[in-house]
Amino acid sequence: MSQRKDLIIIGNGMVGHHFADSFRQSDAADQWHIQIVGEERLSAYDRVHLSDYFQGSDHSALALGTPQSYRAAGISAHLGTRVERIDRASKTLVLNDGEELSYDKLVLATGSYPFVPPIPGHDAERCFVYRTLDDLDAIRSAATNRQTGDNVGVVIGGGLLGLEAANALRSLGLATHVIEFAPRLMPVQLDDAAGSVLKHKIEALGVQVHTDTATDSIETLADGRLRLHFASGDNLDTDVLVFSAGIRPRDELARQCGLDVGERGGVRINNHAQTSDPDIYAIGEVALWDNRIFGLVAPGYRMAEAAVAHLGGGDSPFLGADMSTKLKLLGVDVGSIGDAHGNSAGAISFRYHNEAKGQYKKIVTSADGKHLLGAILVGDNSAYDSLLQYYLNDIALPAEPDSLILPNSTGAPALGVDALPDSATICSCMNVTKGAIVSAIDGGCCSVGDVKAETRANSSCGGCAAMLKNIVDATLEARGVEVDHSLCEHFAHTRQALYHLVQVEGIKTFDDLIAKHGRGHGCDICKPTVASILASHWNEGVHEAPHVKLQDTNDTFLANMQKDGTYSIVPRIAGGEITPDKLLVIGQVAKDYRLYTKITGGQRIDLFGAQLHQLPEIWQRLIDAGFETGHAYGKALRTVKSCVGSTWCRYGQQDSVGMAILLENRYKGLRAPHKIKFAVSGCTRECAEAQSKDIGVIATENGWNLYVCGNGGMKPRHADLFATDLDDVTLIRTVDRLLMFYVRTADRLQRTARWLESLDGGLDYLSDVILNDSLGLGAELDTQMARVVDTYQCEWKATLEDEQKLKRFRTFVNSPESDDNVVFVEERDQIRPATADEKQHIIASA
Amino acid sequence: MTAHAQHLHWVQLCQRDDLVAESGVAARVGQQQIALFYLPDDNAVFALDNHDPFSAANVLARGIIGDLQGHWVVAAPIYKQHFRLDNGQCLEDASVCVATWPARLNGDAVEVALPIALPI
């Protein structure tokens, strides 16, 4: 052990950390004692996500290494410490606390510093740079210690980092300006049109952009604020000024010890990241390779890996790096790939520019249109991942390359996961290929998290998250592995598992369930799901105190919210049978409240356009006339459609209307994973279209044929014949069991059709469970359904009887007025919601 | 700049009884509609613009509330985007943010601080 050689890394930024981490994992590691000298008081952190710091992250959330993790890895870290000088002859260096360290090999990872243009006044107290967590703390304290409420922040520099800094100022509540010397934003990555689209988008967010603007001087005013004087003669007063005008390599140590540096700075390195002294390496933003400084983290990581390999006697040269970037700047998508400006000889470009949507897309291809050389995207990055793969892997472009950026282009080939070669780089920060991801999965990784931990893909900038997930999901699926089915971030369970927990532990409230089996407070995914489980198990009213907060707006207000925030009302019309008197009541109510009326696809009448406070009055009249709620709002039984049946029809073989009414009244109010529809036809002519329903019943000479798990949803499915010639009692017992088994075992929002498809063993298994009672569940399913049937109450009736519940039905708690944003116009003699244009017109002429 | 020096002006909108635990109600001040959300465990009230920018309907008060990524949010009831209760930021679209106002319980009175410029 005492024979170990000394390796010292100067700099504990992202690249220095990555070097240490990679080196520690290399075969050579145990022959070396590693030391890190870092100038910042904090250990390495993720500078790419610096802005998250203003959104509430702290250092620990951004930290890459910690003093503890370094210690555990056998690395000595000197943090808050500077190297004063390097003596190459004696191979020693001196720290600012006087300590002397000797090295066998040295790595310079000193990074860069922000360039502050020498504008007179640039060193005023409220001038900052945007580089370290300490810088951010200083900016925050300067931005928030004034009380006037109209504080201004200015960023000089409209490049990528400048816009990041502008976002940070904006999130601190400052009225933010960006000053850019060039005629457009992000001049390196974007062209004029893209820069102008980005400028418009950013200005729409309230950030003022001043391009083509040179700052002559910065004056400190009497109250400490700053006044910027521009070359144009204009000025701008600000509370905080942040410089983000580019970076300069921190090569002073290299100069001090006589290493070769470039004319404009940067320590010259070869393909192994070696400097002019073979015992000293330089990596990251301090390094100059082929006369270029790379101001991104990924090339720095590549250099680190090249140096690690070389130190271990291997060879993995650094040969330049892809500078493509995908960002969300102030919420605006920006992407730039390869030769974005089309400088390559013979390059041709294709542009799509949509001013209305603020989208700009450009691709640059080779003269023959076969290969992608570069691209620019603003306002919509959806094509970025595909374009980058075309670019990096030199995949042949489709015959019409513009199909890749045109909207709704049917010719746009989806560059699926399968189209990518194993060598395709998925994560360019960590240099992880598709092949590496697939082999990680073959090695036992079962989730994105596992793959991330194993390959380190997606652990830096996060840009490849979507692509990584696609590859992981597709690969797992191809290997027949089930993908994570956690309901949401609050429950790591499926709906079915939650159902079982509720059932077995007798849990009656959401609060109990989340306390015992979940975390946090819940969300709009798990709350309604649990509400549905509790309702189908215990059938307590959805408006009972513990359940109120769980309901979607439709369940809360027992009506269907429509696009303008008004509601529609559907009274139950079981089997579609209704008396003239009831028809008159519906007509009169619709007339009195000026509601739009429509016969629905399920033989009911829908009344549209009611405001919240009108719902109880309307329902009072409907209940008085003998109506019940139709549950059109719930994940519940909606309707049982019927034909005329043997009562009137000359072909009818059974009383389909009577059976439809019986079924609808039996299952009304049953809460399920999805809405359920039935139909009953009186003969095989199938006028009720029963074979497209969850439960379809068709009369035969001898009784009823039962069809199950059909639907007319997004992916229509014909129902399967489940049992034939059933008598009434057997039909109902079979439907009871099948429905209850579905309610218990289906996933959230899973229709019966998808549920049957997902059952192992399919229809045969389902028949076995329901018809042959192979699991011995029959009696229990019967009991459960009987409880739901016996405890039915009309939710509207119960609501109208309870003053406390009715309080909720007020458009405003402090005013009897209506929502004046609800505006109707007439069409075909009835009302409909006004369009945005019509509204403007109506309000203007009022 | 458009922002003026503003003084907070506390306006009483309703009583604690009018609120719904871990859910929302709407109130109005002049033409402004305000969605009020109540967290009884924290004794906290949040006030957001009731206008949902995605549907252009006044419905945020009628969304489900919950916590996502460590923040209390309301899910817009029409197209289901999430807005943070503390600052109105939309989680799905960083460029969208709805207005918020300071809100508090003063005894049983529910109060919201409005800029004095707003017509009452």
Side-chain angles (χ1 to χ4, degrees), chain A residues 626-644:
Chain A
F627 285 104
E628 286 179 345
T629 176
H631 284 97
Y633 47 83
K635 300 294 176 219
L637 174 73
R638 295 291 177 86
T639 176
V640 181
K641 191 177 178 182
S642 70
C643 65
V644 185

Side-chain angles (χ1 to χ4, degrees), chain B:
Chain B
M1 293 304 354
T2 50
H4 304 285
Q6 289 167 348
H7 300 283
L8 293 184
H9 175 72
W10 289 96
V11 181
Q12 181 180 331
L13 291 184
C14 60
Q15 296 295 307
R16 184 196 299 261
D17 270 2
D18 293 312
L19 301 174
V20 184
E22 286 191 43
S23 190
V25 297
R28 70 187 272 166
V29 178
Q31 295 302 301
Q32 180 63 53
Q33 296 194 17
I34 297 175
L36 295 170
F37 299 96
Y38 177 40
L39 301 180
D41 291 348
D42 304 346
N43 200 36
V45 183
F46 294 93
L48 274 67
D49 193 335
N50 193 35
H51 189 75
D52 169 14
F54 292 94
S55 65
N58 295 323
V59 294
L60 285 191
R62 291 179 244 159
I64 292 182
I65 65 175
D67 65 319
L68 285 179
Q69 298 156 26
H71 304 290
W72 276 100
V73 295
V74 57
I78 296 196
Y79 300 119
K80 316 294 182 192
Q81 291 86 0
H82 300 91
F83 297 90
R84 275 173 63 169
L85 296 189
D86 58 349
N87 63 9
Q89 179 64 51
C90 174
L91 297 190
E92 286 77 13
D93 186 341
S95 66
V96 177
C97 191
V98 302
T100 57
W101 297 271
R104 68 182 182 196
L105 281 164
N106 188 359
D108 274 336
V110 178
E111 298 181 337
V112 170
L114 299 171
I116 204 152
L118 217 134
I120 308 295

Side-chain angles (χ1 to χ4, degrees), chain A residues 44 47 84 119 136 145 214 246 303 347 394 413 437 454 463 466 473 476-477 530 562 624 660 720 763 772 777 784:
Chain A
R47 229 180 280 274
E84 292 288 345
I119 302 167
L136 267 59
N145 67 4
M303 294 177 197
D394 209 21
I437 292 166
E454 175 69 24
D473 286 356
L476 285 175
E477 224 160 86
V530 172
Q562 302 298 336
D624 288 348
D720 283 301
L763 192 67
N772 307 330
L777 290 173
Q784 186 59 37

Side-chain angles (χ1 to χ4, degrees), chain A residues 407 590 839:
Chain A
K839 254 189 220 176

Side-chain angles (χ1 to χ4, degrees), chain A residues 526-798:
Chain A
C526 60
K527 282 179 165 181
T529 303
V530 172
S532 161
I533 292 170
L534 293 171
S536 43
H537 206 77
W538 309 114
N539 215 19
E540 294 180 344
V542 296
H543 281 177
E544 297 308 320
H547 312 315
V548 167
K549 65 180 182 188
L550 310 178
Q551 313 295 338
D552 272 319
T553 184
N554 288 3
D555 284 296
T556 304
F557 299 112
L558 306 169
N560 288 36
M561 180 181 271
Q562 302 298 336
K563 64 194 273 186
D564 60 347
T566 64
Y567 289 88
S568 78
I569 296 158
V570 181
R572 182 167 301 290
I573 301 177
E577 182 183 83
I578 185 165
T579 63
D581 278 338
K582 281 188 169 172
L583 270 178
L584 284 169
V585 171
I586 290 182
Q588 196 59 49
V589 167
K591 219 170 157 177
D592 291 352
Y593 286 90
R594 203 169 162 247
L595 304 173
Y596 166 82
T597 54
K598 183 178 185 306
I599 309 292
T600 70
Q603 298 181 336
R604 311 199 283 183
I605 300 173
D606 208 344
L607 312 171
F608 291 79
Q611 291 206 38
L612 197 51
H613 57 273
Q614 296 175 317
L615 293 173
E617 305 164 29
I618 292 171
W619 266 107
Q620 189 64 61
R621 287 180 55 180
L622 293 171
I623 298 272
D624 288 348
F627 285 104
E628 286 179 345
T629 176
H631 284 97
Y633 47 83
K635 300 294 176 219
L637 174 73
R638 295 291 177 86
T639 176
V640 181
K641 191 177 178 182
S642 70
C643 65
V644 185
S646 59
T647 324
W648 290 85
C649 174
R650 57 195 155 130
Y651 301 113
Q653 290 182 311
Q654 308 282 344
D655 175 12
S656 62
V657 179
M659 179 52 77
I661 293 171
L662 183 82
L663 290 172
E664 184 159 345
N665 282 324
R666 182 168 181 81
Y667 303 114
K668 62 190 177 188
L670 172 69
R671 303 281 165 168
H674 207 287
K675 63 181 174 183
I676 315 171
K677 293 178 180 177
F678 286 23
V680 184
S681 279
C683 76
T684 54
R685 283 173 185 76
E686 252 282 70
C687 294
E689 299 163 322
Q691 290 173 88
S692 63
K693 300 292 188 286
D694 299 278
I695 299 288
V697 179
I698 301 177
T700 67
E701 229 175 306
N702 307 312
W704 307 98
N705 282 354
L706 173 61
Y707 291 78
V708 300
C709 303
N711 81 51
M714 291 220 289
K715 195 173 156 202
R717 182 181 189 281
H718 228 58
D720 283 301
L721 180 60
F722 195 64
T724 54
D725 294 334
L726 304 174
D727 59 51
D728 289 8
V729 173
T730 315
L731 172 71
I732 285 170
R733 192 182 63 224
T734 310
V735 175
D736 275 1
R737 291 181 178 183
L738 186 112
L739 276 185
M740 197 41 82
F741 190 54
Y742 163 66
V743 165
R744 283 196 175 185
T745 61
D747 242 339
R748 164 184 175 267
L749 300 184
Q750 188 175 39
R751 288 175 182 264
T752 55
R754 304 288 97 76
W755 169 69
L756 174 59
E757 287 161 4
S758 73
L759 283 181
D760 221 2
L763 192 67
D764 289 343
Y765 172 72
L766 191 60
S767 304
D768 222 23
V769 173
I770 303 300
L771 299 174
N772 307 330
D773 199 10
S774 61
L775 300 180
L777 290 173
E780 198 192 328
L781 294 172
D782 290 345
T783 312
Q784 186 59 37
M785 184 59 86
R787 167 151 51 176
V788 173
V789 172
D790 291 345
T791 51
Y792 173 80
Q793 47 178 338
C794 170
E795 288 168 356
W796 261 112
K797 188 158 184 288

